[in-house]
Amino acid sequence: VTRLLDRLESAELVSRERGKNDRRIVVTRITRKGLAILAKLDEPTIDRHAELLGHLDEPELQELIRLLEKARDGSTEPTA
């Protein structure tokens, strides 16, 4: 993570500040430049999701969500 943040900071996409009381704490904030790049990604991301999942109807999407949550949780118990 540190190397990734170093690269993002070098590109002026994030800023970092050490904690005043505890120097082990590092607060990382996205910059205006970073936010601008993220804003440009919103529409292509939504378009790609529609391209990949647009053929699914609402019940199928809900089932997909349920299965993905189950996979993420790692539980074997049925979800409501």
Side-chain angles (χ1 to χ4, degrees):
V1 171
T2 301
R3 287 189 290 172
L4 176 60
L5 287 174
D6 288 343
R7 290 176 29 211
L8 292 170
E9 188 175 35
S10 293
E12 300 178 350
L13 301 176
V14 300
S15 65
R16 290 188 282 188
E17 183 179 320
R18 291 249 178 226
K20 297 195 188 312
N21 296 329
D22 187 344
R23 297 211 21 94
R24 294 173 296 177
I25 296 173
V26 179
V27 176
T28 305
R29 291 185 175 87
I30 190 164
T31 62
R32 290 184 192 273
K33 184 177 177 181
L35 288 171
I37 290 174
L38 285 178
K40 290 179 186 177
L41 294 174
D42 286 344
E43 189 174 336
T45 300
I46 290 168
D47 291 346
R48 183 64 175 149
H49 288 166
E51 182 182 324
L52 292 172
L53 303 172
H55 64 286
L56 299 177
D57 62 22
E58 187 63 28
E60 291 169 325
L61 286 172
Q62 291 304 316
E63 178 67 3
L64 176 60
I65 291 167
R66 186 189 71 76
L67 291 169
L68 290 170
E69 287 173 346
K70 183 175 181 179
R72 180 184 61 201
D73 293 342
S75 66
T76 56
E77 296 179 30
T79 58

